[in-house]
Amino acid sequence: MSTSTATRRATIFGRVILTAQLRAVTGLRIGGATGTLAIGALDNPVVRDPLTNQPYIPGSALKGKLRSLSERIEGLVSNWRINNVYLHICLAQNGQNPNYHTCPVCPVFGVPGDQAPSAPTRLIVRDAFLIDESARELEALRLDLPYSEIKWEAAIDRVTSAATPRQVERVPAGARFACEMVYTIYEPEDFERFRIVARALQLLEDDYLGGYGSRGSGKVAFSDITLLAKPREQYDKPRETLPTRTFPSVDALLQQLDETVAWLTSTILVTTRDLA
Ligand SMILES: [Zn+2]
């Protein structure tokens, strides 16, 4: 293989499709810019699908949280600002990026297009929509708003200590969303990097999604995790014929992570032809 960045290829060796159910263990306050997505006069709106009026979790919100938790457990320095969010990014210098390949975050979660030449992002996170059964359950609850509740909170002014009541819209505890993540194998190291994805799921379960996490909102749990392995050679086959593994929880996935990485490696085997 040429070492010139101008001729490097990004060949897909295979993909791992991870599906899971994400349950709101506590009420979920999903971020959205105040005003642009507001429902009525509420601030802090839940993001809604305009077609169904149902709340959903934007893939960008889910992926951003998985990334920032992964950065923090690795102790990486945040050196890149996107709006008001600071991220760690392996920055290219003179077209070279010596740190990228061993970085525990950037190959998986990606870097801006003008950095790290020929460095495709491994992880795609789809928007997560309410599963039908959960939507029907929420409809039966007669909530304050369609599929959501209003929680009153007292914001304390730090100077005057005066309490200002405010409304927060939350998806109620128990709501369940269908998650899909696609993890692409571009090189042999990507099998080991899959551990970073599994760990990030556990980091999120111990943290929170959306806003107001330090005040109780946003605890989530994954269940019914399925990994579908799609080697490149099998891309003309229907999904149901491809090998899968299922796990009831993130803990179960982590307990079997060594054998799962070995299974992915042998199923999506990178041949010497690919590496030539
Ligand atoms: Zn990095």
Side-chain angles (χ1 to χ4, degrees), residues 84-112:
N84 291 320
V85 180
Y86 287 86
L87 298 176
H88 152 79
I89 298 287
C90 281
L91 297 173
Q93 291 157 356
N94 305 321
Q96 298 293 318
N97 196 332
N99 301 318
Y100 172 85
H101 205 74
T102 54
C103 178
V105 169
C106 292
V108 172
F109 293 96
V111 294

Side-chain angles (χ1 to χ4, degrees), residues 9 15 18 21 25 29 50 70 75 78-79 82 91 105 121 130 141-142 167 187 192 207-208 210 242 258 262 265:
R9 296 169 301 173
R15 285 188 150 139
L18 184 158
Q21 194 176 104
V25 180
R29 213 292 294 180
S70 298
S78 301
N79 58 351
I82 299 175
L91 297 173
V105 169
T121 301
L130 269 181
L141 284 177
R142 300 182 183 209
Q167 294 175 314
E187 57 183 5
E192 281 296 316
D207 206 87
Y208 62 89
L242 297 173
D258 289 341
T265 308

Side-chain angles (χ1 to χ4, degrees), residues 13-53:
F13 293 137
R15 285 188 150 139
V16 184
I17 297 171
L18 184 158
T19 53
Q21 194 176 104
L22 184 156
R23 183 168 54 91
V25 180
T26 64
L28 198 55
R29 213 292 294 180
I30 305 165
T34 301
T36 56
L37 294 160
I39 312 295
L42 287 173
D43 61 355
N44 306 318
V46 168
V47 178
R48 289 177 185 271
D49 179 345
L51 288 178
T52 63
N53 209 26

Side-chain angles (χ1 to χ4, degrees), residues 143-178:
L143 297 160
D144 306 309
L145 289 167
Y147 311 101
S148 70
E149 62 187 5
I150 294 169
K151 181 171 181 271
W152 284 91
E153 287 206 338
I156 308 299
D157 186 304
R158 288 181 193 187
V159 177
T160 66
S161 297
T164 313
R166 66 181 170 198
Q167 294 175 314
V168 177
E169 185 184 3
R170 302 202 309 177
V171 179
R176 289 169 290 146
F177 298 84

Side-chain angles (χ1 to χ4, degrees), residues 239-253:
R239 284 191 184 198
E240 52 265 35
T241 65
L242 297 173
T244 59
R245 284 202 162 191
T246 58
F247 309 88
S249 64
V250 174
D251 271 348
L253 168 62

